Amino acid sequence: MTTRPAEHRPVRPDADGHFGPYGGRYVPETLMEPLREIEAAWADARADGAFEEEFRRLLREYVGRPTPLGFAARLSERLGCRVLLKREDLCHTGAHKINNALGQGLLVRRMGKRRVVAETGAGQHGVATATVCALLGLECVVYMGTEDMARQAPNVTRMRLLGAEVRGVDSGQRTLKDAINEAMRDWVTNVRTTHYLLGSVLGAHPYPAMVRDFQSVIGTEAREQVMQREGRLPDVLVACVGGGSNAIGLFHAFLPDTGVRMVGVEAGGRSPRPGDHAARFLAPRSGTDGERPAAAGAEISGAGIGVLQGTRTYLLQDAAGNVLPTHSISAGLDYPAVGPEHALLHDEGRVEYTSATDEEALAAFHLLGETEGILPALESAHAVAWLAREAPSLAGRLVLVNLSGRGDKDLAVVEREP
Ligand SMILES: Cc1ncc(COP(=O)(O)O)c(C=O)c1O
C-alpha cells in the first residue's frame, strides 16, 4: 500500500490568500508591502532546494524530528479504542511551535532582517521564537498579556534566559489577542528592520498558508509512521484548536483521505455562555453567543463571521460585531478567532469541530499522566478530553491524537485546581 497521499490535494488558498470566503489580507496600507515581501520571500525559499534542505536538517538535528508516534497501551485499555500519540511534546522546547518558528527564522535571515517580534499566549511560541532567534543570532521581542505572564510564568523566565525581551501587555483582557495587537503595532512602526513571527495559522495572507506549510511536517510524518506501524490509515485524527496550527499541521496530509475522520477540539471553558469559552464554532450552532437567535443568524446575517487581526473568519462577537471576551484554562486556546482554513474545512464538513470544558481538560491531564506517564499541555489535554468523552462510540477504532505540547508550564495551574 502506498504511503503517499492521493494526488487530488486541494490547492489552497487562492492567489489573494482566500480560503473560500475566509482569509484574505485586511490590514492598513503600510503593511501591504511588507506582507507582499514575505509572500515573495516565502515563494522564493520554497523553490530553493537549499532552503528546504537547511530546514529539514535543523528539524532533524536541532528540533529532534521525526517525533515518535507511540501506542498508548494503558490508555487504550482504559478507553476501549486503540490510541496512538503523536509526540510533539518531545520537540525541543516542548511543543510543535518550534517547527514554524524555525521555518520563519530561516526566512528572516534570508530576507536580511535582524529583528523579530512575536506574540505569545501559553508562552510556547514565545519560547520557540526566542530559541530560534538565539540560534540564528537575531534580536527578539515577545509581547505577552500580563494575565498569561502570570499563569505561564516558567515560560517567561525561559524566554528571558534565552536573551529575548518580554514586554507585558496590560490592555484588554491581557491575553493573546491583546499581545497580537501590540506585536502588530511594533511591526508597523519598525517594519523595515523587523519581521513579525506570527505563531499560528492566523493573521493576513501569507501567514495562514505559510505557518500551515511549516507545521505540515507533523501530518506528513504521522501518515508515514501509522502506515509503517499499522499498515493502514487511522480511523480518527484529533487535535486541539487554538489558532489551529497543530491541528492543520496534522490534518493537512490526510485531507484527501476521505475515510479518515478529523476532529478539532476548541476550548469549552467554564460554560457555553458568552465570555466563558473560546469555542468559535460553538456560537452559531448553539445560540449562546450574543443576543441573536444564532441558528438563523449564521445562515442569514453571517453571524459569527468577521474580521480580526488581518483575516476574515469565524469570530466570537456580539450582535453589534464587538469581539467578545474569551476564557479557557489553557492560555494557548484563549483567543476569539480561528484560522481561516479551519473556517472553510468546517463549512465543507471535512473536519468536525467540537469543544471540551476546562474541567474535562483537567481530568484528561490527570488521565494521561496516570495511565501513560505523560503530563500534556492543558491545550493538548483538550484533545485527550474529547477522546475520553467519546470513547464509548469509538470501540475498537484506531485514533491518532496530536499531543501538541508538554505540561511543565501548566503545573501551577493544575496544582491550584481542586
Ligand atoms: C502546546 C500548545 N498546543 C496548542 C496550542 C494552540 O495553538 P495552535 O492551535 O496554533 O496549535 C498552543 C498555543 O500556545 C500550545 O502552546
Side-chain angles (χ1 to χ4, degrees):
M1 197 185 288
T2 176
T3 61
R4 279 205 350 245
E7 293 302 319
H8 58 277
R9 173 183 298 188
V11 179
R12 290 170 169 161
D14 69 14
D16 296 322
H18 293 107
F19 297 87
Y22 306 110
R25 196 176 265 167
Y26 296 86
V27 293
E29 194 54 36
T30 40
L31 285 183
M32 288 308 253
E33 197 42 45
L35 286 165
R36 279 191 211 107
E37 188 196 349
I38 296 170
E39 188 183 5
W42 167 228
D44 194 57
R46 260 187 312 187
D48 179 355
F51 180 88
E52 174 77 9
E53 206 174 296
E54 173 78 338
F55 182 48
R56 297 285 150 204
R57 180 184 70 77
L58 285 169
L59 284 178
R60 204 172 50 242
E61 294 178 3
Y62 190 73
V63 175
R65 305 207 71 92
T67 57
L69 183 76
F71 180 59
R74 294 190 66 231
L75 182 66
S76 298
E77 197 184 339
R78 177 80 69 93
L79 297 180
C81 52
R82 302 190 63 233
V83 184
L84 295 171
L85 300 174
K86 180 62 173 161
R87 300 291 308 276
E88 292 301 293
D89 59 315
L90 294 180
C91 287
H92 178 46
T93 70
H96 68 294
K97 296 284 182 185
I98 188 92
N99 303 322
N100 165 54
L102 181 63
Q104 286 194 53
L106 292 174
L107 202 62
V108 174
R109 199 167 65 177
R110 199 179 169 93
M111 289 189 293
K113 297 200 172 178
R114 304 283 316 149
R115 183 174 181 270
V116 163
V117 293
E119 82 298 334
T120 198
Q124 288 301 134
H125 173 59
V127 168
T129 303
T131 299
V132 165
C133 286
L135 178 72
L136 302 178
L138 302 166
E139 186 188 337
C140 180
V141 175
V142 179
Y143 290 89
M144 187 172 193
T146 47
E147 161 76 15
D148 289 338
M149 286 176 77
R151 58 178 161 170
Q152 309 278 218
N155 276 341
V156 177
T157 308
R158 288 169 82 196
M159 285 184 268
R160 289 184 170 143
L161 290 172
L162 290 161
E165 183 189 341
V166 182
R167 294 189 185 165
V169 177
D170 244 333
S171 55
Q173 273 195 286
R174 299 177 290 126
T175 57
L176 185 57
K177 172 171 70 66
D178 315 297
I180 294 181
N181 280 339
E182 285 309 313
M184 286 182 85
R185 219 163 272 152
D186 183 318
W187 189 37
V188 173
T189 312
N190 301 295
V191 76
R192 282 195 316 126
T193 58
T194 300
H195 174 74
Y196 179 19
L197 207 157
L198 183 52
S200 192
V201 285
L202 294 166
H205 180 61
Y207 284 104
M210 180 172 69
V211 176
R212 174 202 68 200
D213 286 354
F214 286 134
Q215 291 292 4
S216 64
V217 63
I218 302 172
T220 309
E221 280 177 13
R223 200 175 185 285
E224 265 178 40
Q225 288 166 321
V226 70
M227 291 302 295
Q228 218 162 47
R229 194 181 192 289
E230 304 286 328
R232 55 167 290 212
L233 292 170
D235 297 304
V236 186
L237 304 178
V238 55
C240 68
V241 184
S245 68
N246 86 90
I248 201 74
L250 174 67
F251 296 164
H252 205 248
F254 294 87
L255 283 175
D257 302 312
T258 48
V260 178
R261 181 182 171 198
M262 301 186 194
V263 181
V265 187
E266 301 185 287
R270 287 183 290 251
S271 87
R273 281 192 298 276
D276 268 3
H277 65 90
R280 290 67 47 110
F281 294 119
L282 181 71
R285 280 199 313 257
S286 68
T288 52
D289 173 22
E291 306 301 320
R292 59 184 175 266
E299 294 286 313
I300 297 162
S301 69
I305 293 162
V307 170
L308 184 69
Q309 295 174 328
T311 197
R312 183 170 193 272
T313 186
Y314 278 73
L315 182 59
L316 289 169
Q317 57 189 332
D318 66 17
N322 299 306
V323 176
L324 285 167
T326 52
H327 162 80
S328 170
I329 194 168
S330 57
L333 305 186
D334 199 350
Y335 182 71
V338 67
E341 189 164 6
H342 286 288
L344 183 58
L345 290 168
H346 167 271
D347 287 6
E348 290 176 344
R350 179 64 188 94
V351 178
E352 296 164 45
Y353 295 87
T354 177
S355 60
T357 63
D358 287 352
E359 206 178 316
E360 289 173 318
L362 267 170
F365 177 95
H366 291 292
L367 175 67
L368 198 67
E370 286 159 22
T371 56
E372 293 296 330
I374 299 169
L375 299 177
L378 281 172
E379 289 81 10
S380 326
H382 284 70
V384 180
W386 175 84
L387 179 62
R389 189 176 72 212
E390 298 299 321
S393 68
L394 297 168
R397 298 297 169 122
L398 185 62
V399 184
L400 196 161
V401 181
N402 200 26
L403 223 53
S404 55
R406 63 177 176 232
D408 310 29
K409 69 186 177 59
D410 295 316
L411 298 186
V413 176
V414 173
E415 248 178 1
R416 265 203 310 274
E417 296 298 322

